[in-house]
Structures are given as structure tokens and as C-alpha cells.
Coordinates of all heavy atoms in Angstrom, one line a residue:
M120 N 113.2 95.4 83.8 CA 113.7 95.7 85.1 C 114.8 96.8 85.0 O 115.6 96.7 84.1 CB 114.3 94.5 85.7 CG 114.7 94.7 87.2 SD 115.3 93.2 88.0 CE 117.0 93.1 87.4
T121 N 114.7 97.8 85.8 CA 115.8 98.8 85.9 C 116.7 98.6 87.0 O 116.2 98.3 88.1 CB 115.1 100.2 86.1 OG1 114.1 100.4 85.1 CG2 116.1 101.3 85.9
V122 N 118.0 98.7 86.8 CA 119.0 98.5 87.9 C 119.6 99.8 88.2 O 120.3 100.4 87.3 CB 120.0 97.4 87.5 CG1 121.0 97.3 88.6 CG2 119.4 96.1 87.2
Y123 N 119.4 100.3 89.4 CA 120.0 101.6 89.8 C 121.4 101.4 90.4 O 122.2 102.3 90.3 CB 119.1 102.3 90.8 CG 117.7 102.6 90.2 CD1 116.7 101.7 90.4 CD2 117.5 103.8 89.5 CE1 115.4 102.0 89.9 CE2 116.2 104.0 89.0 CZ 115.2 103.1 89.1 OH 114.0 103.4 88.6
A124 N 121.5 100.4 91.2 CA 122.8 100.1 91.8 C 122.9 98.6 92.0 O 121.9 97.9 92.2 CB 122.9 100.8 93.2
T125 N 124.1 98.1 91.8 CA 124.3 96.7 92.0 C 125.7 96.5 92.7 O 126.6 97.3 92.5 CB 124.2 95.9 90.7 OG1 124.5 94.6 90.9 CG2 125.3 96.5 89.7
R126 N 125.8 95.4 93.4 CA 127.0 95.2 94.2 C 128.2 94.9 93.3 O 129.4 95.1 93.7 CB 126.8 94.0 95.1 CG 125.8 94.3 96.2 CD 125.8 93.3 97.4 NE 125.0 93.7 98.4 CZ 123.7 93.3 98.5 NH1 123.1 92.6 97.6 NH2 123.0 93.7 99.6
E127 N 127.9 94.5 92.0 CA 129.0 94.2 91.1 C 129.6 95.5 90.5 O 130.6 95.4 89.8 CB 128.6 93.2 90.0 CG 128.2 91.8 90.4 CD 126.9 91.8 91.2 OE1 125.9 92.5 90.8 OE2 126.8 91.1 92.2
R128 N 128.9 96.6 90.7 CA 129.3 97.8 90.0 C 129.6 98.9 91.0 O 128.9 99.1 92.0 CB 128.1 98.2 89.1 CG 128.4 99.0 87.9 CD 127.2 98.9 86.9 NE 126.0 99.6 87.4 CZ 124.8 99.5 86.9 NH1 124.6 98.7 85.9 NH2 123.8 100.2 87.3
N129 N 130.7 99.7 90.7 CA 131.0 100.9 91.5 C 131.1 100.7 93.0 O 130.9 101.6 93.8 CB 129.9 101.9 91.3 CG 129.6 102.2 89.8 OD1 130.5 102.1 89.0 ND2 128.4 102.5 89.5
G130 N 131.4 99.4 93.4 CA 131.6 99.2 94.8 C 130.4 99.4 95.7 O 130.5 99.7 96.9
S131 N 129.3 99.3 95.1 CA 128.0 99.6 95.8 C 127.8 98.6 96.9 O 128.0 97.4 96.7 CB 126.8 99.6 94.9 OG 125.7 99.8 95.6
K132 N 127.2 99.1 98.0 CA 126.9 98.2 99.1 C 125.5 97.7 99.0 O 125.1 96.8 99.7 CB 127.1 99.0 100.4 CG 127.1 98.2 101.7 CD 128.4 97.6 102.0 CE 128.4 97.0 103.5 NZ 128.5 95.6 103.6
V133 N 124.7 98.4 98.1 CA 123.3 98.0 98.0 C 123.0 97.6 96.6 O 123.7 98.0 95.6 CB 122.4 99.2 98.4 CG1 122.6 99.6 99.9 CG2 122.7 100.4 97.5
R134 N 121.9 96.9 96.4 CA 121.4 96.6 95.1 C 120.0 97.2 95.1 O 119.1 96.8 95.9 CB 121.4 95.1 95.0 CG 120.7 94.6 93.7 CD 121.0 93.1 93.5 NE 120.1 92.5 92.5 CZ 120.2 92.7 91.2 NH1 121.3 93.3 90.7 NH2 119.4 92.1 90.4
V135 N 119.8 98.1 94.2 CA 118.5 98.8 94.0 C 117.9 98.6 92.6 O 118.6 98.8 91.7 CB 118.6 100.3 94.3 CG1 117.3 101.0 94.2 CG2 119.2 100.5 95.7
I136 N 116.7 98.0 92.6 CA 116.1 97.7 91.3 C 114.7 98.2 91.2 O 114.1 98.4 92.3 CB 116.2 96.2 91.0 CG1 115.4 95.4 92.0 CG2 117.6 95.7 90.9 CD1 115.0 94.0 91.6
R137 N 114.1 98.2 90.0 CA 112.7 98.4 89.9 C 112.2 97.3 89.0 O 112.7 97.1 87.9 CB 112.4 99.8 89.2 CG 110.9 100.0 89.0 CD 110.6 101.1 88.1 NE 111.0 102.4 88.6 CZ 110.4 103.1 89.4 NH1 109.3 102.7 89.9 NH2 110.8 104.3 89.8
A138 N 111.3 96.5 89.5 CA 110.6 95.5 88.8 C 109.2 95.9 88.6 O 108.5 96.1 89.6 CB 110.7 94.2 89.5
V139 N 108.7 96.1 87.4 CA 107.4 96.7 87.1 C 107.4 98.0 87.9 O 108.2 98.9 87.7 CB 106.3 95.8 87.5 CG1 105.0 96.3 86.8 CG2 106.5 94.4 86.9
D140 N 106.4 98.2 88.9 CA 106.4 99.4 89.6 C 106.9 99.3 91.0 O 106.7 100.2 91.8 CB 104.9 100.0 89.6 CG 104.7 100.9 88.4 OD1 105.7 101.5 87.9 OD2 103.5 101.1 88.0
D141 N 107.6 98.2 91.3 CA 108.1 98.0 92.6 C 109.5 98.4 92.7 O 110.4 97.8 92.0 CB 107.9 96.5 92.9 CG 107.9 96.2 94.4 OD1 107.8 97.1 95.2 OD2 108.0 95.0 94.7
L142 N 109.8 99.4 93.6 CA 111.1 99.9 93.8 C 111.7 99.2 95.0 O 111.2 99.3 96.1 CB 111.0 101.4 94.0 CG 112.2 102.3 93.8 CD1 112.9 102.0 92.4 CD2 111.8 103.7 93.8
V143 N 112.8 98.4 94.8 CA 113.3 97.5 95.8 C 114.8 97.7 96.1 O 115.6 97.8 95.2 CB 113.1 96.1 95.4 CG1 113.4 95.1 96.6 CG2 111.6 95.8 94.9
C144 N 115.1 97.7 97.4 CA 116.5 97.6 97.9 C 116.6 96.1 98.3 O 116.0 95.7 99.3 CB 116.7 98.5 99.1 SG 118.4 98.4 99.7
V145 N 117.4 95.4 97.4 CA 117.4 93.9 97.6 C 118.3 93.4 98.7 O 119.4 93.9 98.8 CB 117.8 93.3 96.2 CG1 117.8 91.8 96.3 CG2 116.9 93.7 95.1
R146 N 117.8 92.5 99.5 CA 118.5 91.9 100.6 C 119.2 93.0 101.4 O 120.4 93.0 101.6 CB 119.5 90.9 100.1 CG 118.8 89.8 99.4 CD 119.8 88.7 98.9 NE 120.5 88.1 99.9 CZ 121.5 87.2 99.7 NH1 121.8 86.8 98.5 NH2 122.1 86.6 100.8
C147 N 118.3 93.9 101.9 CA 118.8 95.1 102.6 C 119.1 94.9 104.0 O 118.3 94.3 104.8 CB 117.6 96.1 102.5 SG 118.0 97.6 103.4
R148 N 120.3 95.3 104.4 CA 120.7 95.1 105.8 C 119.9 96.0 106.8 O 119.8 95.6 108.0 CB 122.2 95.3 106.0 CG 122.7 96.7 106.0 CD 124.2 96.7 106.3 NE 124.7 98.0 106.4 CZ 125.1 98.6 107.5 NH1 125.0 97.9 108.7 NH2 125.7 99.8 107.5
L149 N 119.4 97.1 106.3 CA 118.6 97.9 107.2 C 117.3 97.3 107.5 O 116.7 97.5 108.6 CB 118.3 99.3 106.6 CG 119.5 100.1 106.2 CD1 119.1 101.5 105.7 CD2 120.4 100.3 107.4
E150 N 116.8 96.5 106.6 CA 115.5 95.8 106.7 C 115.6 94.5 107.5 O 114.7 94.1 108.2 CB 114.9 95.6 105.3 CG 113.5 95.3 105.2 CD 112.6 96.5 105.6 OE1 113.2 97.6 105.8 OE2 111.4 96.4 105.7
S151 N 116.8 93.9 107.4 CA 116.8 92.5 107.9 C 117.9 92.3 109.0 O 118.2 91.2 109.4 CB 117.1 91.5 106.7 OG 118.2 92.0 106.0
G152 N 118.6 93.4 109.4 CA 119.6 93.2 110.4 C 120.8 92.6 109.7 O 121.1 92.8 108.6
D153 N 121.5 91.6 110.4 CA 122.7 91.0 109.9 C 122.4 89.9 108.9 O 123.3 89.5 108.2 CB 123.5 90.4 111.0 CG 124.1 91.5 111.9 OD1 124.2 92.6 111.4 OD2 124.4 91.2 113.1
G154 N 121.2 89.4 108.8 CA 120.9 88.3 107.9 C 120.9 88.6 106.5 O 121.1 87.8 105.7
D155 N 120.6 89.9 106.1 CA 120.6 90.3 104.7 C 119.6 89.5 103.9 O 119.9 89.1 102.8 CB 122.0 90.2 104.1 CG 122.8 91.4 104.5 OD1 122.3 92.3 105.2 OD2 124.0 91.4 104.1
T156 N 118.4 89.2 104.5 CA 117.5 88.3 103.8 C 116.3 89.0 103.3 O 115.5 88.5 102.5 CB 117.1 87.1 104.7 OG1 116.7 87.6 105.9 CG2 118.3 86.1 104.9
A157 N 116.0 90.2 103.9 CA 114.7 90.8 103.6 C 115.0 92.0 102.6 O 116.0 92.6 102.6 CB 114.1 91.4 104.8
D158 N 114.0 92.2 101.8 CA 114.0 93.3 100.8 C 113.3 94.5 101.4 O 112.3 94.4 102.1 CB 113.4 93.0 99.5 CG 114.0 91.8 98.8 OD1 115.2 91.5 99.1 OD2 113.4 91.1 98.0
F159 N 113.8 95.7 101.0 CA 113.0 96.9 101.4 C 112.2 97.4 100.2 O 112.8 97.6 99.1 CB 114.0 98.0 101.8 CG 113.3 99.4 101.9 CD1 112.5 99.7 103.0 CD2 113.5 100.3 100.9 CE1 111.9 100.9 103.2 CE2 112.8 101.6 101.0 CZ 112.1 101.9 102.1
H160 N 110.9 97.5 100.3 CA 110.1 98.0 99.2 C 109.7 99.4 99.5 O 109.1 99.7 100.5 CB 108.8 97.1 99.1 CG 109.1 95.7 98.7 ND1 109.1 95.3 97.4 CD2 109.5 94.7 99.5 CE1 109.4 94.0 97.4 NE2 109.6 93.6 98.6
A161 N 110.2 100.3 98.6 CA 109.9 101.7 98.8 C 108.6 102.1 98.2 O 108.1 101.6 97.2 CB 111.0 102.6 98.1
D162 N 107.9 103.0 99.0 CA 106.6 103.5 98.5 C 106.9 104.8 97.8 O 106.7 105.9 98.2 CB 105.8 103.8 99.8 CG 104.4 104.2 99.4 OD1 104.0 104.1 98.2 OD2 103.7 104.8 100.3
G163 N 107.4 104.7 96.6 CA 107.7 105.8 95.7 C 109.2 106.2 95.7 O 110.0 105.7 96.6
I164 N 109.6 107.0 94.8 CA 111.0 107.4 94.6 C 111.5 108.1 95.8 O 112.7 107.9 96.2 CB 111.1 108.2 93.3 CG1 110.9 107.3 92.1 CG2 112.6 108.8 93.2 CD1 110.8 108.1 90.8
Q165 N 110.7 109.1 96.3 CA 111.2 109.9 97.4 C 111.5 109.0 98.6 O 112.5 109.2 99.3 CB 110.1 110.9 97.8 CG 110.6 112.1 98.6 CD 111.6 112.9 97.8 OE1 111.4 113.3 96.7 NE2 112.8 113.0 98.4
A166 N 110.7 108.0 98.8 CA 111.0 107.0 100.0 C 112.3 106.3 99.7 O 113.0 106.0 100.7 CB 109.8 106.1 100.1
M167 N 112.6 105.9 98.5 CA 113.8 105.2 98.2 C 115.0 106.1 98.4 O 116.0 105.7 98.9 CB 113.8 104.6 96.8 CG 115.0 103.8 96.4 SD 115.4 102.5 97.6 CE 114.4 101.1 96.9
L168 N 114.9 107.4 98.0 CA 116.0 108.3 98.2 C 116.3 108.5 99.7 O 117.4 108.5 100.1 CB 115.6 109.7 97.6 CG 115.6 109.8 96.1 CD1 115.0 111.0 95.6 CD2 117.1 109.7 95.5
D169 N 115.2 108.6 100.5 CA 115.4 108.7 102.0 C 116.1 107.4 102.5 O 117.0 107.5 103.3 CB 114.0 108.8 102.7 CG 113.4 110.2 102.5 OD1 114.2 111.1 102.0 OD2 112.2 110.4 102.8
H170 N 115.6 106.3 102.0 CA 116.2 105.0 102.4 C 117.7 104.9 102.1 O 118.5 104.5 102.9 CB 115.5 103.9 101.7 CG 116.0 102.5 102.0 ND1 115.6 101.8 103.2 CD2 116.8 101.7 101.4 CE1 116.3 100.7 103.2 NE2 117.0 100.5 102.1
L171 N 118.1 105.4 100.8 CA 119.5 105.3 100.4 C 120.3 106.3 101.2 O 121.5 106.1 101.5 CB 119.6 105.6 98.9 CG 119.0 104.4 98.1 CD1 119.1 104.8 96.6 CD2 119.6 103.1 98.3
D172 N 119.7 107.5 101.6 CA 120.4 108.4 102.5 C 120.8 107.7 103.8 O 121.8 107.9 104.3 CB 119.5 109.6 102.8 CG 119.5 110.7 101.7 OD1 120.5 110.7 101.0 OD2 118.6 111.5 101.7
F173 N 119.8 106.9 104.3 CA 120.1 106.2 105.5 C 121.3 105.3 105.4 O 122.2 105.2 106.2 CB 118.9 105.3 105.8 CG 118.1 105.8 107.0 CD1 116.7 105.9 106.9 CD2 118.7 106.0 108.2 CE1 115.9 106.4 107.9 CE2 117.9 106.5 109.3 CZ 116.6 106.7 109.2
H174 N 121.3 104.5 104.3 CA 122.5 103.7 104.0 C 123.8 104.5 104.1 O 124.8 104.1 104.6 CB 122.4 103.0 102.6 CG 121.6 101.7 102.6 ND1 122.1 100.6 103.2 CD2 120.4 101.5 102.2 CE1 121.2 99.6 103.0 NE2 120.1 100.1 102.4
T175 N 123.8 105.6 103.4 CA 124.9 106.5 103.3 C 125.4 106.9 104.7 O 126.6 106.9 105.1 CB 124.6 107.7 102.5 OG1 124.2 107.3 101.2 CG2 125.9 108.6 102.2
V176 N 124.4 107.4 105.5 CA 124.7 107.8 106.9 C 125.4 106.7 107.7 O 126.2 106.9 108.5 CB 123.4 108.3 107.6 CG1 123.6 108.4 109.1 CG2 122.9 109.6 107.0
L177 N 124.9 105.5 107.4 CA 125.5 104.3 108.2 C 126.8 103.8 107.6 O 127.3 102.8 108.0 CB 124.5 103.2 108.2 CG 123.2 103.5 109.0 CD1 122.2 102.4 108.8 CD2 123.5 103.7 110.5
G178 N 127.3 104.5 106.6 CA 128.6 104.2 106.0 C 128.6 103.2 104.8 O 129.6 102.8 104.4
D179 N 127.4 102.9 104.4 CA 127.3 102.0 103.2 C 127.5 102.9 101.9 O 127.0 104.0 101.8 CB 125.9 101.4 103.0 CG 125.6 100.4 104.1 OD1 126.6 100.0 104.8 OD2 124.5 100.0 104.3
H180 N 128.3 102.4 101.0 CA 128.5 103.1 99.8 C 127.4 102.9 98.8 O 127.0 101.8 98.5 CB 129.8 102.7 99.1 CG 130.1 103.4 97.8 ND1 130.3 104.8 97.8 CD2 130.1 103.0 96.5 CE1 130.4 105.1 96.5 NE2 130.3 104.1 95.7
V181 N 126.7 104.0 98.5 CA 125.7 104.0 97.5 C 126.2 104.9 96.3 O 126.5 106.1 96.5 CB 124.4 104.6 98.0 CG1 123.3 104.6 96.9 CG2 123.9 103.8 99.2
P182 N 126.4 104.3 95.1 CA 126.9 105.1 94.0 C 126.1 106.4 93.7 O 124.9 106.3 93.7 CB 126.9 104.2 92.8 CG 126.7 102.8 93.4 CD 126.0 103.0 94.7
P183 N 126.8 107.5 93.5 CA 126.1 108.7 93.2 C 125.1 108.6 92.0 O 124.1 109.2 92.0 CB 127.2 109.7 92.9 CG 128.4 109.2 93.5 CD 128.2 107.7 93.6
E184 N 125.5 107.8 91.1 CA 124.6 107.6 89.9 C 123.2 107.1 90.2 O 122.3 107.4 89.6 CB 125.3 106.5 88.9 CG 126.6 106.9 88.4 CD 127.7 106.4 89.4 OE1 128.0 105.2 89.4 OE2 128.3 107.2 90.1
A185 N 123.2 106.3 91.3 CA 121.9 105.8 91.7 C 121.0 106.9 92.1 O 119.8 107.0 91.8 CB 122.0 104.8 92.9
F186 N 121.5 107.9 92.9 CA 120.8 109.1 93.4 C 120.4 109.9 92.2 O 119.2 110.4 92.0 CB 121.6 109.9 94.3 CG 121.7 109.3 95.7 CD1 122.9 108.6 96.1 CD2 120.7 109.4 96.6 CE1 123.0 108.1 97.3 CE2 120.8 108.9 97.9 CZ 121.9 108.2 98.3
V187 N 121.4 110.1 91.3 CA 121.1 111.0 90.1 C 120.0 110.4 89.3 O 119.1 111.2 88.9 CB 122.4 111.1 89.3 CG1 122.1 111.8 87.9 CG2 123.5 111.9 90.0
R188 N 120.0 109.2 89.1 CA 119.0 108.5 88.2 C 117.6 108.6 88.8 O 116.6 108.9 88.2 CB 119.4 107.1 87.9 CG 118.7 106.5 86.8 CD 119.4 105.3 86.3 NE 118.5 104.6 85.3 CZ 118.8 103.4 84.8 NH1 119.9 102.8 85.2 NH2 118.0 102.8 84.0
L189 N 117.6 108.3 90.1 CA 116.3 108.3 90.8 C 115.7 109.8 90.8 O 114.5 110.0 90.6 CB 116.4 107.8 92.2 CG 116.5 106.3 92.4 CD1 117.1 105.9 93.7 CD2 115.2 105.6 92.1
R190 N 116.6 110.7 91.1 CA 116.2 112.1 91.1 C 115.7 112.6 89.8 O 114.7 113.3 89.7 CB 117.3 113.0 91.6 CG 117.6 112.9 93.1 CD 118.2 114.1 93.7 NE 118.4 113.8 95.2 CZ 119.6 113.5 95.7 NH1 120.6 113.4 94.9 NH2 119.7 113.2 97.0
A191 N 116.4 112.1 88.7 CA 116.0 112.5 87.4 C 114.6 111.9 87.1 O 113.7 112.6 86.5 CB 117.0 112.0 86.4
E192 N 114.4 110.7 87.5 CA 113.0 110.1 87.2 C 112.0 110.8 88.0 O 110.9 111.0 87.5 CB 113.1 108.6 87.6 CG 113.8 107.7 86.6 CD 113.7 106.3 86.9 OE1 112.9 105.9 87.8 OE2 114.5 105.5 86.3
Y193 N 112.3 111.2 89.2 CA 111.4 111.9 90.1 C 111.0 113.2 89.4 O 109.8 113.6 89.4 CB 112.0 112.1 91.5 CG 111.0 112.7 92.4 CD1 110.1 111.9 93.1 CD2 111.0 114.0 92.8 CE1 109.2 112.4 94.0 CE2 110.1 114.6 93.7 CZ 109.2 113.7 94.3 OH 108.3 114.3 95.2
A194 N 112.0 113.9 88.9 CA 111.8 115.2 88.3 C 110.9 115.0 87.1 O 110.0 115.8 86.8 CB 113.1 115.9 87.9
D195 N 111.2 114.0 86.3 CA 110.4 113.6 85.1 C 108.9 113.4 85.5 O 108.1 114.0 84.8 CB 111.0 112.3 84.6 CG 111.3 112.4 83.2 OD1 111.8 113.5 82.8 OD2 111.1 111.4 82.4
L196 N 108.7 112.6 86.5 CA 107.3 112.3 86.9 C 106.6 113.6 87.3 O 105.4 113.8 87.0 CB 107.3 111.3 88.0 CG 107.7 109.9 87.6 CD1 107.7 109.0 88.9 CD2 106.6 109.3 86.7
S197 N 107.3 114.4 88.1 CA 106.5 115.6 88.6 C 106.3 116.6 87.5 O 105.3 117.3 87.5 CB 107.2 116.2 89.8 OG 108.4 116.7 89.5
E198 N 107.2 116.6 86.5 CA 107.0 117.4 85.3 C 105.7 117.0 84.5 O 105.0 117.8 84.0 CB 108.2 117.4 84.4 CG 108.7 118.7 83.9 CD 110.1 118.6 83.4 OE1 110.3 118.0 82.4 OE2 111.0 119.1 84.1
R199 N 105.6 115.7 84.5 CA 104.4 115.2 83.7 C 103.1 115.2 84.6 O 102.1 114.7 84.2 CB 104.7 113.7 83.3 CG 105.6 113.7 82.1 CD 105.6 112.3 81.4 NE 106.5 111.5 82.1 CZ 106.3 110.2 82.5 NH1 105.1 109.7 82.2 NH2 107.2 109.5 83.1
G200 N 103.3 115.7 85.8 CA 102.1 115.8 86.7 C 101.7 114.4 87.2 O 100.5 114.2 87.7
A201 N 102.6 113.4 87.2 CA 102.2 112.1 87.7 C 102.4 111.9 89.2 O 102.0 110.9 89.7 CB 103.1 111.1 86.9
L202 N 102.8 113.0 89.8 CA 103.0 112.8 91.3 C 102.0 113.7 92.0 O 101.6 114.7 91.6 CB 104.4 113.2 91.7 CG 105.5 112.3 91.2 CD1 106.9 112.9 91.6 CD2 105.4 110.9 91.9
Ligands
ZN387 ZN1 118.4 99.2 101.8

């Protein structure tokens, strides 16, 4: 499992992980409203970047490292022609 952002680190408001090939924003408030019970499953890295942009716009702190890491992976994949 890869952890991109976690609430215990860097004051992040979101927890973003990858389990196998599933890219997830765990207990996402955008997905579940106030209940924080539903996960957001991104359909690819670009979709997760858009999703995290949304969090940022709404005032949620998303650590810059999470963006950097996802973008690096995205660049990697497209270099290898996997996208
Ligand atoms: Zn989210």
C-alpha cells in the first residue's frame, strides 16, 4: 500500500492511499457530506489530482507532497507509455 497523505502527517485534511491499483481518498467528506463515511475511488491519477484540487478549493489542507508524488507517478507512467 502506498500512502500519499495521511491525517497524522503534515496537518493533512485528507487520507489518500493506493491499495493494489485502487487509488482512494479515504472517508472523504466530498463523497459523503458530513458523515465522512464514504471513500472516493479515483479512476486514475489525473482524476485523483482533480479531486484533491477540489479539496484545496474548499479549504482542506492537502500536503504539497501528495500532489508532487502523484504527478511524478503520472509522468512516470506516461513516459513508459502506460497511459
Ligand atoms: Zn476526498
Side-chain angles (χ1 to χ4, degrees):
M120 187 175 82
T121 309
V122 178
Y123 298 93
T125 179
R126 293 192 175 91
E127 294 73 40
R128 209 161 68 194
N129 308 328
S131 178
K132 189 86 167 113
V133 297
R134 175 171 164 75
V135 180
I136 63 164
R137 180 196 295 280
V139 195
D140 266 338
D141 201 11
L142 201 49
V143 187
C144 182
V145 180
R146 299 180 63 182
C147 176
R148 78 175 179 107
L149 301 184
E150 199 65 7
S151 51
D153 289 338
D155 283 357
T156 49
D158 299 337
F159 169 78
H160 295 266
D162 183 18
I164 292 174
Q165 203 59 56
M167 182 55 87
L168 286 168
D169 288 347
H170 179 80
L171 293 178
D172 275 341
F173 253 128
H174 273 288
T175 305
V176 166
L177 293 174
D179 290 346
H180 177 64
V181 179
E184 302 88 77
F186 286 101
V187 169
R188 194 160 172 190
L189 284 163
R190 289 206 179 100
E192 285 185 13
Y193 187 79
D195 233 36
L196 287 174
S197 66
E198 229 161 68
R199 282 191 280 136
L202 292 174

